[in-house]
Amino acid sequence: MADQLPLPALHHHQQHGCCFRRNQLILDLYLDQVPNGGSKNQSVVLRPNAPSNFGMLAVNDWALYDGDQHDRKLVAHARGHHMQTSQHDVNHQWFISCQIVFADDSSATK
């Protein structure tokens, strides 16, 4: 990940005299989902008795890393919740809603 991101260019719209920022940031991040054990980063809060765990709801604080190797760095956390939204699909279909909270290097932990 770059140490410092360049400032976006300012573009002017000629018809109305206003200006807006146009920028794009592309990141490849690796999510670490640990549903069980001492280092788990998600927890089921609702488990209805339904086919395929339909309606199961869990909260998550998943770690996001800059790579998938042992020398990876923690970049952010995906904090939110996910819900099983299919009654019949054996592959499961999840609705995920989360915010990406980027880590400050001085306080990042693994």
Side-chain angles (χ1 to χ4, degrees):
M1 197 164 133
D3 291 332
Q4 189 173 18
L5 298 174
L7 294 175
L10 198 57
H11 298 274
H12 294 278
H13 190 277
Q14 297 301 323
Q15 286 181 334
H16 302 289
C18 67
C19 57
F20 60 93
R21 294 187 186 275
R22 188 171 82 182
N23 58 357
Q24 183 177 12
L25 176 64
I26 299 173
L27 298 173
D28 289 326
L29 300 176
Y30 296 81
L31 185 139
D32 193 13
Q33 181 183 21
V34 184
N36 300 307
S39 298
K40 80 179 199 174
N41 57 13
Q42 67 181 41
S43 182
V44 173
V45 294
L46 178 62
R47 188 186 307 266
N49 186 13
S52 299
N53 287 322
F54 177 66
M56 184 166 74
L57 175 67
V59 293
N60 51 270
D61 186 2
W62 296 324
L64 296 172
Y65 293 95
D66 64 356
D68 62 352
Q69 304 300 319
H70 69 279
D71 61 344
R72 64 189 182 173
K73 272 182 60 179
L74 179 69
V75 175
H77 287 269
R79 294 179 174 147
H81 63 276
H82 52 288
M83 178 182 287
Q84 172 56 269
T85 59
S86 174
Q87 295 185 62
H88 308 290
D89 188 356
V90 294
N91 294 323
H92 305 288
Q93 293 179 356
W94 294 89
F95 170 79
I96 300 171
S97 176
C98 61
Q99 62 182 359
I100 305 298
V101 180
F102 287 92
D104 177 358
D105 283 344
S106 63
S107 64
T109 59
K110 294 208 179 229

